[in-house]
Structures are given as structure tokens and as C-alpha cells.
Amino acid sequence: MISRLVLKNFLQFEHLEMEFDEELNILVGDNDTGKSTIVKALEMVLTGRIGGRPLETELTPHWFNQEVCQRFFEAIFAGKATPPPAIVIEAYFRDEASLSVQKGKNNSLALDVPGIRVEIELDSSYAAEYATYMGEPDKVVSIPVEFYRINRTDFAGQNVAGTRPLVTTAVIDASTLKLQSGTDYYLRRTISQHLSPDARAKLSLAFRSHREGLIKDPAFTAANTSISATRTTMSKKNLTLATDASAKSSWESGLVPHLDGVPFDLIGQGEKSAFKILLALDKGGQDRHVVMVEEPENHLSHANLNTLIERIRDRIVGQQLIITTHSSFVLNKLGIDKLRLMSGSTYTTLSALSLETKSYFLRLAGYDTLRMVLARAVILVEGPSDELIVQKAYLQKYGHLPIADGVDVISVQALAFKRFLELGAALGRKIAVVTDLDDDSSDAKARKRFEDFEVHGQIQGFVGKVEHGRTLEPQLVASAGPALNTVFGTSYGTAAEMAKALTAGKTESALTIFESPISINMPGYIENAIEFVQ
């Protein structure tokens, strides 16, 4: 199985070194952070193909990291001699006896382990042509991949192109599910691999006998008699019909899988996706299968996704599963500690989370986990009214809602603060905690929720002044004053009356303030929290 992946100058990664869990890896990140790039790189190095097609036929200048290419072109334009960019993709395997033939130090980390390396570099046999091309730098607009070669070797230094892989791979993209002839090549191959050699041989014989028997059918004979009666060929040869006896017409391509009597290409996209994923996981790890699934949540309802995730958890035996997802449900149910959060040119894991926190997020059904994972910074509040007021305060201060700056405001129950703060600390997120006072005399009780996490420097709690009240509503009255009468169209004469009215309808009052075009003075602790995350 894969223990590590190293990328150099490939797509958005100038350099990446990622370690993998031997059983399950969940790649999460915003769009264009590299999740699909990891899957592509693994397919390339493990199979010598990309999208099912040979690397040599798909090689493009767009595979090279843009920043690296830009520096290369600038050096060329400045007249500086600089080596052409090269791409390196390395898959490091766990040091097991069955993979010893691929063991060696032919890798960038000089580790004596099994593995495979792909290097895309200038072919020295084209050195003269390359020099001529680069001799006119004003005409150089892209990497001349026509002069490049692709080397795919194991860590022992042996060429592995065209050899049988020791670590086989299945790549399932649930977002596209490209099909051909009723079902795709991978599905046909997987079904075939689930049959014993004896069963495959008998099925092949039965299929060939069926084709040969068709030629003797009276309808077939009559058709050929009719066709051969008209001689249209130049040499007056007889034209007849016959079944295809070539290898491309084997039973794998001639027979179409059915589910409950419905051809596979006619069933729903969600069922197709789930079927292919589960079929791949049914192999039981007998051939060291690595299964990569892109966005398994595509085309599935919440209930069916739940069923699929439960079955995935039950079937990961002896195999390594790599999943990319935008679904918090998938992330929670499979285990947040298996997360690889993609961000920029690096990634983060959460393996250090406490068992209690892992258990909490495994049970969490909502999408708040992913919001925390994907946000640049977070403001945690205690309820929907606090969330609305913080959003309004941010809008007043910056002219747009916090999410536009990558800041998410998340409402969390009081008992869950610790779990979200532990997750945020592991992610390195900047977090402001906005909370009510819990007693009349001090903020000591309220601060218990976050004071243990403030040592990280990225997390800070904010509470109101004791003299302004214990909850949000009197704090608002203390800061905004009579302006609230204008917002609500009321005429309360005292702060106590206004605070009582706001408290009676907490969420409705907060929504009215949020939707009002009138700006008000916000409580200082909320303003301070907003400045902290900025």
C-alpha cells in the first residue's frame, strides 16, 4: 500500500510530500486546492496512465507548475542559462516482502523502500532541437513537451512500463461516470476478476458456442442466402454475415450487467456510482488494491449516501481507500481523523484529536464540520440570534458579509464549544469565541469555555461587560441605545423595557436588526471579535 506521495512541479504543486493512512484517506479542501491532482498523480505513477489513457499520448505543457514555468521563462528572456523544468511523481510503498523487487533508493528522499517513480524530463536525444527552439526566447511561449520523455521506474531503478503492476489501482470518478458500450472497461474487468478461472473459462466457452450456433439458425442462413445472391464486390466474391470471433468481441464486452433486470446503462446515476464503488471494494485486498473515489456523494440522496458510507466502512479490509469529498457527512461518518485537508501547497491532518472529539464529530449529522475545515477564520457563537448580530456588525464595518473574506460564523451549543475549539486548534484556524456572561459578578464562568485554548494564540474569547448585562440583548441596548426604537418602530422609554422586548423574541429581534438598513453601535466585545479574525 501507499505510505507517501512526493510531487515536484506538477500542476498546482511545486513541491508536496503527503503521508497516507494505510487504510483510509479523506481528501478535503476548497475548489482547486489539489484533491483531484493527488488522484491524477497516483493514477499516473501506479498505472502509467491518466484518465485511462497512456501518459505519452496525453503529455501537455499544462502539467507543469505555472510558477516554475514563469520563473523559467523569465530566466530565458533575461539570457540566463537555466535547466528546463521537470516533473517528478513518486509513490512510496510500505516495506513489505512481496514488494522487495521494487525496493531501492532511486527516489528523491533517498529512502530504501519499495516504490515507483515517474519523471517527465527533457530527452537528451533532442538536445540540439531544444537548443535551437530556445535560441529565440521571444518565440518561447510554453514548455516544449515534444522534446520530453517519460520515465517510469521502480525504486530499484528498473523500468516498469509494460510490466504487471504489483499494486493495482481502481479510479472511480462518481461525478462523471463515463460509460462506453453499456458499461465501462473498468466495470467489465472488475466483474471478470470476481469470477474464478474455471467460471471465466466456462462462460467464455458458452458465449463462443452461442455465437457459433447463431450462424446455423434458419433466420441467419436465410439472411445470408439473400445477401449473397447480389454480387456487389469487384471480384464477385460472396458477401455474408458472421459473428465476430476476435478478442475484442469476448464475453466481457458482449454481455451487459443488469441490476434487477435493468441494463446497467439505464439505471440511475446514484446506483451506478454506488455499485462501482462497492464492487471495487469487494476484492478483499487479495491483489493489494488501491481504490480511489472522487466525490462519492454525487447523485446520491442523503439516505442512500448513508447506506453507501456504512457499506464502505464494512468493506475496507486489506485495501487502501482514498476519497475526495465536499461532503461533511462523508467526512464525519468515515472518521475526521482520516482527513487530509488540502490548502495551498500543503495539507493538514487531525490524527492528534482526542477520542472524545473524534466520537463527537462521528455522530454529528450537520455540515458544520466542513465549514470549520474550509474557512480561513471562524467566529463561534451560542445561537442564531448571536450569529445574526455578528453578521450585521461585520456588514456594517466592512460593507460585506464575513463569508466574503473566508470568515464563517458558526452557531454552536455551549457543550460543543470544546470540540470545535479542539478541531480549530488542530487545523490552525483563527477563532473568535463570542459568548454570554454566565453569572452576574464576573466573566470567569463564561471564560471556562475557551481559556484552555487561548494559549495557541490563534484562539481568543470575547464577552461583554458585566455592568451591561448577562446576555446579548441587554448588551445591545447598552451599546445602541435609543437607535433601537428607530429600528423596531417602537418608543420604549427605558433600557430595561427595550431589553425585555428584545429578549422575548430573541431570534426575531436579531433578524429585524440584521435586515434593517439602519446602522447601530454594536457591543464592543463583538467589534473586538471581528477585528481579531480580520
Side-chain angles (χ1 to χ4, degrees):
M1 299 298 181
I2 303 164
S3 63
R4 189 190 311 264
L5 175 70
V6 170
L7 300 181
K8 292 183 179 179
N9 303 337
F10 182 58
L11 294 175
Q12 59 263 71
F13 296 112
E14 183 172 345
H15 183 269
L16 175 72
E17 183 178 333
M18 174 180 284
E19 295 184 359
F20 286 86
D21 182 85
E22 61 183 345
E23 182 182 75
L24 174 63
N25 301 269
I26 307 172
L27 307 185
V28 176
D30 209 343
N31 293 329
D32 299 320
T33 54
K35 302 184 299 297
S36 294
T37 298
I38 298 299
V39 174
K40 284 186 177 72
L42 288 172
E43 181 188 7
M44 290 169 68
V45 71
L46 295 177
T47 70
R49 307 173 76 86
I50 183 168
R53 296 177 293 275
L55 297 181
E56 289 76 10
T57 63
E58 300 299 306
L59 179 58
T60 170
H62 301 296
W63 285 358
F64 291 79
N65 178 266
Q66 290 185 358
E67 288 75 18
V68 171
C69 291
Q70 184 61 36
R71 292 198 298 269
F72 172 69
F73 294 141
E74 290 173 354
I76 293 298
F77 298 152
K80 299 178 181 178
T82 183
I87 292 174
V88 173
I89 304 173
E90 296 174 336
Y92 294 70
F93 302 145
R94 302 193 186 282
D95 195 354
E96 300 175 8
S98 58
L99 297 175
S100 60
V101 68
Q102 294 184 336
K103 185 175 180 179
K105 294 186 177 182
N106 182 42
N107 57 74
S108 58
L109 301 180
L111 297 178
D112 189 16
V113 295
I116 299 178
R117 168 188 173 95
V118 165
E119 186 169 13
I120 304 173
E121 61 179 356
L122 180 67
D123 188 338
S124 58
S125 63
Y126 289 108
E129 291 86 348
Y130 173 78
T132 300
Y133 175 78
M134 301 305 292
E136 300 181 85
D138 56 317
K139 295 182 179 180
V140 176
V141 294
S142 65
I143 301 298
V145 294
E146 295 81 5
F147 306 141
Y148 273 63
R149 66 183 180 187
I150 300 176
N151 302 315
R152 185 164 167 261
T153 59
D154 59 29
F155 286 0
Q158 301 300 311
N159 189 351
V160 295
T163 63
R164 183 177 180 178
L166 297 181
V167 177
T168 60
T169 308
V171 183
I172 303 170
D173 186 351
S175 65
T176 58
L177 287 176
K178 296 178 181 177
L179 303 177
Q180 39 188 284
S181 302
T183 180
D184 62 12
Y185 166 75
Y186 166 70
L187 180 56
R188 294 197 305 269
R189 186 186 66 182
T190 305
I191 291 174
S192 176
Q193 288 175 342
H194 276 69
L195 300 174
S196 67
D198 181 61
R200 287 198 299 270
K202 290 180 178 178
L203 184 57
S204 178
L205 177 62
F207 187 71
R208 182 163 58 84
S209 298
H210 173 75
R211 289 186 310 193
E212 293 171 349
L214 181 63
I215 301 175
K216 301 175 182 179
D217 188 276
F220 205 98
T221 303
N224 272 336
T225 300
S226 176
I227 293 171
S228 63
T230 304
R231 297 180 181 275
T232 58
T233 63
M234 183 174 66
S235 58
K236 297 184 178 182
K237 294 179 179 178
N238 288 331
L239 174 66
T240 58
L241 298 175
T243 58
D244 187 357
S246 65
K248 69 179 181 180
S249 185
S250 64
W251 70 266
E252 288 97 332
S253 58
L255 301 181
V256 177
H258 285 58
L259 295 182
D260 282 346
V262 179
F264 188 79
D265 62 321
L266 297 181
I267 65 175
Q269 292 287 76
E271 188 70 49
K272 287 178 186 175
S273 171
F275 178 72
K276 293 172 75 175
I277 293 169
L278 295 176
L279 194 62
L281 293 174
D282 258 344
K283 289 291 293 172
Q286 62 185 11
D287 56 2
R288 315 180 68 79
H289 217 148
V290 175
V291 179
M292 295 184 283
V293 183
E294 292 219 58
E295 301 180 16
E297 65 269 20
N298 274 286
H299 315 295
L300 289 177
S301 67
H302 186 79
N304 285 333
L305 180 58
N306 182 59
T307 300
L308 175 62
I309 295 305
E310 290 299 326
R311 292 186 179 180
I312 286 176
R313 291 178 65 184
D314 292 340
R315 296 189 185 199
I316 305 175
V317 179
Q319 294 174 300
Q320 188 175 37
L321 181 61
I322 299 170
I323 289 180
T324 72
T325 185
H326 288 102
S327 169
S328 182
F329 183 83
V330 173
L331 175 62
N332 288 355
K333 292 302 179 183
L334 288 178
I336 196 168
D337 57 320
K338 306 296 185 180
L339 170 72
R340 266 69 179 152
L341 172 63
M342 309 299 301
S343 178
S345 59
T346 186
Y347 75 102
T348 303
T349 66
L350 301 177
S351 56
L353 290 177
S354 68
L355 291 176
E356 293 82 2
T357 296
K358 292 177 185 177
S359 177
Y360 172 81
F361 284 107
L362 280 172
R363 298 192 303 269
L364 191 65
Y367 64 98
D368 290 340
T369 315
L370 202 62
R371 292 172 64 186
M372 174 73 81
V373 166
L374 297 180
R376 178 187 64 78
V378 174
I379 301 176
L380 295 180
V381 299
E382 289 189 89
S385 56
D386 304 76
E387 181 178 346
L388 287 165
I389 296 303
V390 169
Q391 298 266 11
K392 174 70 173 184
Y394 201 103
L395 180 62
Q396 287 184 179
K397 190 175 185 66
Y398 296 108
H400 53 259
L401 292 174
I403 197 64
D405 293 330
V407 178
D408 208 342
V409 184
I410 303 176
S411 178
V412 178
Q413 294 181 350
L415 295 177
F417 267 104
K418 181 178 179 180
R419 305 304 166 206
F420 277 88
L421 289 173
E422 185 179 343
L423 173 60
L427 291 168
R429 292 290 173 271
K430 198 163 193 178
I431 301 177
V433 182
V434 175
T435 183
D436 291 338
L437 291 159
D438 285 323
D439 59 50
D440 295 321
S441 58
S442 73
D443 62 2
K445 186 176 179 181
R447 299 192 70 83
K448 291 291 184 183
R449 299 175 185 172
F450 50 78
E451 62 182 0
D452 290 342
F453 295 92
E454 287 187 318
V455 295
H456 294 280
Q458 291 290 102
I459 297 173
Q460 187 170 331
F462 299 87
V463 296
K465 295 181 178 180
V466 173
E467 60 268 26
H468 291 163
R470 295 173 58 186
T471 61
L472 173 66
E473 290 73 28
Q475 294 281 342
L476 274 171
V477 173
S479 61
L484 290 174
N485 275 324
T486 305
V487 172
F488 290 100
T490 55
S491 56
Y492 294 109
T494 67
E497 290 176 325
M498 176 63 75
K500 182 177 180 180
L502 265 62
T503 304
K506 295 173 70 73
T507 305
E508 293 80 3
S509 298
L511 182 59
T512 299
I513 294 172
F514 177 79
E515 293 179 338
S516 173
I518 300 172
S519 294
I520 62 173
N521 292 327
M522 290 293 180
Y525 70 103
I526 291 179
E527 295 279 6
N528 293 338
I530 290 172
E531 291 178 3
F532 176 75
V533 295
Q534 269 288 334

